[in-house]
Amino acid sequence: MKGPAGALYVNDGGEGGLPVVFVHSSAGSTKHWASQLSHLRQTHRALALDLRGHGQSEVPTEGAISVEDFAADIAAVVDGLKLERFVLVGHSLGGAVCAAYAAAHPSRVAGLLLLDPASDGRMIPEEQAQGLMAVLGTEAWLQVVEEYWAPMLAPSRPEVREQVLGGLRATAQVAVRSGLGSLLTFDPVSALRRYPGPKLSVVTAYNEGPDAYQVRVPELPFKKVEPITGHWVQLDAPAWVNGVLDGFLAPLR
């Protein structure tokens, strides 16, 4: 499908109910949602997209990409498929991207489910943020990201770790750097408060600090992940996430 910065890959299927649109994390892809797509397509239309530079979508030629730019990828897909109203589900970076889209198009979004969303990157000290971006522009970028993600992958099964790290190694450096960098300036507080519809943040133990969305926005409903998982909850505990999805979708119209 044509996107604002090149072709976007979309995995679309199922019918019935409100359509559900899934958005992956930094260096993720539609493959992270395989269990959720299979589960929901029994009763709903469910689709996932690869953000620009990720998965099977085209790698952009320009440098910096903002969270709002990624949200424009969602807009291109839902507009191209003529989806009037739908539920958004975003993981990590995808949570920020979904919040940005929902803030800009609140009447289109029937519900917003954030799965261990990214924290408020504006709270990282300026010097530390600049250092991170500098390192992500060097040849050492892959090692740096793998080391950063190691604690968040520690509880995961070996096959989950391999899937996540394999996806990272297959993602263009510019996409990873831009994706992580976009979180340093994005304002999730304003975005979440501009979307008045049903929303829920599902958080792991890694997402309870002062920069967490549910701390920054105290009125944001949240639920703690019950099984012990890493950050990639939908891969570690697919059945549990599917149950949360069912519960969140049930009252939505």
Side-chain angles (χ1 to χ4, degrees):
M1 176 171 290
K2 181 175 172 53
L8 296 171
Y9 173 75
V10 181
N11 182 334
D12 185 11
E15 57 184 23
L18 280 166
V20 183
V21 180
F22 292 89
V23 185
H24 60 75
S25 60
S26 174
S29 73
T30 58
K31 294 178 181 177
H32 284 190
W33 301 110
S35 175
Q36 287 67 49
L37 293 174
S38 175
H39 172 72
L40 279 189
R41 283 174 181 168
Q42 299 172 54
T43 53
H44 286 74
R45 182 177 185 180
L47 56 136
L49 67 141
D50 285 340
L51 296 171
R52 63 184 73 181
H54 292 74
Q56 299 179 62
S57 289
E58 194 172 335
V59 178
T61 52
E62 74 266 14
I65 306 168
S66 68
V67 167
E68 290 79 7
D69 290 334
F70 284 124
D73 293 343
I74 297 178
V77 169
V78 296
D79 291 350
L81 295 175
K82 295 181 170 52
L83 301 182
E84 290 303 318
R85 237 169 136 261
F86 45 87
V87 177
L88 279 177
V89 181
H91 171 237
S92 196
L93 167 65
V97 174
C98 288
Y101 180 91
H105 309 275
S107 64
R108 303 277 299 276
V109 180
L112 177 64
L113 179 61
L114 308 177
L115 186 61
D116 217 28
S119 54
D120 189 343
R122 299 173 304 161
M123 296 185 71
I124 296 176
E126 180 67 23
E127 188 175 333
Q128 186 180 338
Q130 289 180 352
L132 171 66
M133 292 306 292
V135 172
L136 291 178
T138 70
E139 291 183 0
W141 73 275
L142 186 59
Q143 180 184 348
V144 169
V145 178
E146 287 188 6
E147 289 175 357
Y148 177 62
W149 283 1
M152 296 188 288
L153 279 167
S156 301
R157 300 185 307 278
E159 58 268 29
V160 170
R161 289 198 293 271
E162 185 48 46
Q163 180 177 354
V164 170
L165 294 177
L168 171 63
R169 294 166 192 144
T171 304
Q173 180 179 4
V174 64
V176 176
R177 186 175 188 271
S178 293
L180 294 176
S182 71
L183 296 170
L184 298 174
T185 56
F186 175 62
D187 179 2
V189 177
S190 296
L192 289 166
R193 286 181 169 155
R194 284 202 306 271
Y195 173 66
K199 44 189 177 277
L200 174 67
S201 188
V202 179
V203 299
T204 64
Y206 308 98
N207 206 344
E208 297 179 328
D211 54 356
Y213 284 7
Q214 74 275 12
V215 177
R216 300 284 288 140
V217 184
E219 66 270 26
L220 174 66
F222 73 98
K223 176 185 181 71
K224 293 185 179 181
V225 176
E226 289 171 8
I228 296 175
T229 73
H231 175 53
W232 288 262
V233 187
Q234 71 275 47
L235 300 177
D236 284 331
W240 187 85
V241 171
N242 290 346
V244 171
L245 268 170
D246 289 343
F248 182 71
L249 292 172
L252 301 184
R253 296 291 180 267

